[in-house]
Structure formats: structure tokens, C-alpha cells
Amino acid sequence: MCGLFFISIIGWRLTPQRKEQDSAEDLFEISSYLTELIVPEGCKFAGRTLYDLIAAVRNDADVVVIGLVRTGRRQQMPSTYEVIKENDILLVEADSDSLKTLIDVTGLKLAEASGNEDKEKAREGGPNLVEATVAPGSMLAGKTARSLDLRERYGINVLAVARQGRRLRERLGKIRFVTGDILLIQGREESLPSTLNDLGCLPLASRGLRIGKPRNVLLAICIFAVSLALIACKLLPAATALAGGAAAMVLAGLISPGEIYKSIDMSIILLLAAMLPIGHALESTGGSQLIAYKLLAVGRSASPAMTLVILMTATMLLSNLVNNAAAAILAAPIAINLAKGMELSVDPFLMAVAIGSSCAFLTPIGHQSNTLVMAPGGYKFGDYWRMGLPLSVLVVATAVPVILWIWPL
């Protein structure tokens, strides 16, 4: 609660507001990139598919077909296997160089500037455009739209990419996505939510899709609350209660077994698997005991409360560099040896480790949430400590007295 109060009153003022950054309204302004091309009579691509048309310039230009007008009827995002006919009008998104290449290679011609209504609809987005951010662990990270064949495999077009609050002007097909990128995606409304979930992207709910249903969220909260209540009342072990809660969510239809499998972050599991032997090695070789003795040397001239402050601060700094679970694994043996050396209860020291490992506010790599806000906010690596440092100090100042109150030494 203290942290929320600090952020709402003071903390948000400490984050940089870069005036030169593109605003949310014009970040994905694409009207200047939209052009109408007509398929003239005798065109060599008449009778062939859109895929053939795009493939003809794939290596030399970035072109996205976002609409097709035929006999007065407009198709949103036509299939790549749609056969092109004479007098069709294609609404394409391309820069000037790519547009020139497309016209020279395919023989298409510029349509008369009478399609302002279609351009306006495409600019505003309608129901088929959504902004989404590349989440940590997404299959898009490190890859390009062209290498993944997003149009053919997933039925979506990536129309624009923004990174750290600025739209990238590079060719879309050559941009390697990174975690935190914001993508302007065109797709079919009924399939967009599941497609974004498969790709590991999170829609920006304020200007795009709404995430989940209120009824499902409320039911999930109730199930999780029951699991916590069972743990707090010591009716079930934590592992059993939480596993039962997860099973209840599956039975209630809140999440499918396939989604559970996809939600398993193998990189975290491998990291923990690698850290467990390190933690065991620290314990078996006397490394954790040596570190504890060094802290004890400091503790002889300081109070137990100050020792908790030092332990929590050290764990916080570690969690800003590695995963929070890994930080807890490394710091827990040290905390246990420190408590034994001071002949005090282990509980407050382990709580200090638990809280410290969960408060990574100083870097964008400390937690996934830090990474996700980096691009939408236009933040840089060094911006996080501005609010993160006073917030970390506030956490230590409030957590240590509470720990000592609940678990007196």
C-alpha cells in the first residue's frame, strides 16, 4: 500500500517525460503510406494470386496488401490466395521506394485519388486493427515478420513497429522484433485474440482488444483466494492448495490444458535448474557460511534490524540482475546461516530474502513487467532507478519494521 501511495502521489513525477517522443495518436499514423493501385487490362498478374504478386517483389520491397476493392465491394485483408482480376483496386501499405519497385515489376498503376474513404477507414483501423506488445518469451523475439511468414501461417499483417516510443522507419520485413516492441497488427476480428496469444503478444487494452472477460476474472480471483485461505489456515500445504487451484481453473474452463503447457517458461525452469546446484554448492562448500560470517562481522556493530536491512538490500540488488527466484535460491542459504550465527529465528531473515527478491525496480531486466513498459513508455535502461531507487528505499523502510513486528527476534 505504501508503494502504491508513493507511485500515485510522487513516483510518477520522477519518470522522464520526453516531449520529442511520438504521441499515442500519431505513433501509427499510416495514411501517408497507403496507396491505391489498379490492376490494368492485360496485366501479367491478372489471373494470379496475391501471393504471387507479393512474392515478385519480396526481396526488393516491403509491401502489405490490406484491402481489395472489386465491383464496388471492399474486402478487408484479402487472402493471399485470392486471385487478382483486371480492374481490381488494391489498397497497399508501402513507402515510396517500395511502391515504385512494385509498380515497375508488376505493371500495376496508380488509381485515381478517389478512395479517400477507404484510406480513412484503414487509417482509423476499424475493427481489424490492434496494437500489441511483444511479451517476454514471445516467439517473435529475435525474428522478422518475413522469416515467420505471419501472413500465410497466422493470417495477420504487421503494418508498423514502434520501439521506445518511436515508429521504426526501416523495412518491415527486415525488422527483428525485440521484447517490448509495439506492433500495429491487422487481422480478422474473430481470430485476433487467439492469434496474439499463440504469438506471445499482449494487446494494448486501452486502444485495442480487451483482455479476458470480467466474469472469468472474478471467478479466477475467487479460486485463487480460496487457495490462499487454505494455506493461511494450514488446512493444506502450499503446493497442494495451489495445484488444486490450478486444476479448478482448468475444470471451470478458465484456461485450457494447451494454454497451461504454453505458459510454462522453459527458460526460467532451466535457470532455476542451473541455480539450484549453485545454491547447493554455496552451502556444501561453506561459501554461504563464509558470506554469513562477513555479514556477522558487520552485525556485531549493528542491531539485528540493521542486519535485516543489509540482507534485504543485497537481495534486492541481486534480483535486479537475475531472475527473482534465482536470487532467492542464492540468498536463502546465506540468510539461514546468518540467523544461526546470530542465534536468532530464521523466519524474519527468510522473509527479508523473499521480499527483497520480489522488489526489482532498478532495471528493465529485473522482472517481465519492467520490460513490458519500456517501449510503450519510451524509457531507457537508466530511467528505472529514478523511481525505482526511492521505491526500493521505501520498501526496506516499511518492510523491516513489519517483519520485526510479526516475527520478533
Side-chain angles (χ1 to χ4, degrees):
M1 292 299 295
C2 292
L4 290 176
F5 181 79
F6 169 78
I7 293 173
S8 60
I9 302 299
I10 302 174
W12 68 272
R13 302 177 189 273
L14 303 177
T15 57
Q17 303 291 329
R18 296 187 171 87
K19 299 299 183 182
E20 67 272 13
Q21 190 176 309
D22 293 339
S23 65
E25 289 74 17
D26 60 12
L27 179 63
F28 286 136
E29 174 64 51
I30 64 171
S31 59
S32 58
Y33 293 82
L34 292 177
T35 309
E36 289 183 345
L37 299 177
I38 190 169
V39 182
E41 295 182 1
C43 177
K44 60 182 179 180
F45 281 91
R48 299 174 65 181
T49 63
L50 275 176
Y51 180 86
D52 295 331
L53 178 74
I54 297 173
V57 295
R58 174 166 292 179
N59 295 328
D60 303 308
D62 270 327
V63 176
V64 178
V65 179
I66 66 174
L68 184 149
V69 180
R70 177 178 295 161
T71 63
R73 298 184 61 184
R74 185 175 188 271
Q75 300 180 34
Q76 287 274 7
M77 196 176 173
S79 167
T80 55
Y81 299 103
E82 179 76 32
V83 177
I84 304 172
K85 298 182 179 180
E86 294 180 350
N87 298 318
D88 281 352
I89 297 177
L90 304 179
L91 185 63
V92 302
E93 199 244 350
D95 57 36
S96 57
D97 292 337
S98 296
L99 182 64
K100 183 179 184 301
T101 301
L102 177 66
I103 293 175
D104 292 342
V105 172
T106 63
L108 300 181
K109 295 183 178 180
L110 291 171
E112 296 182 2
S114 59
N116 293 330
E117 181 179 351
D118 285 333
K119 288 186 179 183
E120 185 65 22
K121 288 181 179 179
R123 184 181 68 83
E124 295 176 356
N128 291 341
L129 292 183
V130 64
E131 296 171 44
T133 183
V134 179
S138 168
M139 63 178 297
L140 298 181
K143 300 178 182 177
T144 65
R146 180 175 298 173
S147 66
L148 292 171
D149 287 329
L150 294 179
R151 180 65 183 268
E152 286 74 27
R153 294 173 59 187
Y154 296 95
I156 62 171
N157 284 328
V158 177
L159 302 183
V161 181
R163 185 172 296 164
Q164 295 186 358
R166 292 181 176 274
R167 178 175 175 177
L168 301 183
R169 304 294 177 176
E170 306 170 33
R171 288 187 174 181
L172 289 175
K174 296 183 178 180
I175 295 177
R176 290 193 178 275
F177 304 123
V178 300
T179 300
D181 279 354
I182 301 176
L183 313 180
L184 181 65
I185 296 175
Q186 181 196 30
R188 301 191 183 280
E189 186 176 14
E190 63 277 5
S191 61
L192 262 178
S194 60
T195 300
L196 292 178
N197 182 62
D198 291 341
L199 294 175
C201 294
L202 299 176
L204 299 184
S206 60
R207 297 195 296 267
L209 300 175
R210 289 179 296 178
I211 303 176
K213 299 178 181 179
R215 177 181 62 84
N216 290 347
V217 172
L218 181 60
L219 181 56
I221 292 174
C222 292
I223 293 175
F224 185 61
V226 170
S227 298
L228 293 181
L230 292 174
I231 298 172
C233 296
K234 298 183 179 180
L235 297 177
L236 287 175
T240 304
L242 293 176
M249 290 185 184
V250 174
L251 295 176
L254 298 178
I255 186 172
S256 67
E259 289 175 322
I260 292 179
Y261 180 78
K262 291 178 182 178
S263 67
I264 298 175
D265 194 338
M266 291 305 299
S267 62
I268 299 298
I269 294 177
L270 291 175
L271 176 63
L272 294 180
M275 286 298 180
L276 284 172
I278 295 177
H280 179 70
L282 280 174
E283 180 69 21
S284 60
T285 61
S288 60
Q289 192 173 10
L290 177 62
I291 297 174
Y293 284 155
K294 295 295 184 182
L295 290 176
L296 281 173
V298 177
R300 290 192 185 99
S301 59
S303 63
M306 184 56 64
T307 306
L308 283 180
V309 169
I310 296 173
L311 178 63
M312 186 181 295
T313 302
T315 308
M316 274 187 179
L317 294 176
L318 183 61
S319 66
N320 278 283
L321 302 176
V322 299
N323 177 265
N324 58 344
I329 289 174
L330 293 176
I334 298 173
I336 294 173
N337 281 282
L338 185 60
K340 290 180 179 179
M342 299 179 70
E343 297 182 352
L344 297 173
S345 172
V346 173
D347 292 341
F349 290 87
L350 290 179
M351 284 304 303
V353 169
I355 295 174
S357 62
S358 302
C359 298
F361 306 132
L362 301 179
T363 67
I365 61 175
H367 194 272
Q368 294 180 354
S369 300
N370 299 9
T371 307
L372 286 176
V373 301
M374 189 172 184
Y379 301 132
K380 297 179 180 179
F381 194 97
D383 293 335
Y384 283 77
W385 69 268
R386 299 179 182 227
M387 184 176 70
L389 183 59
L391 182 58
S392 298
V393 172
L394 179 63
V395 169
V396 174
T398 55
V400 171
V402 172
I403 290 174
L404 293 176
W405 175 55
I406 298 177
W407 294 278
L409 295 173

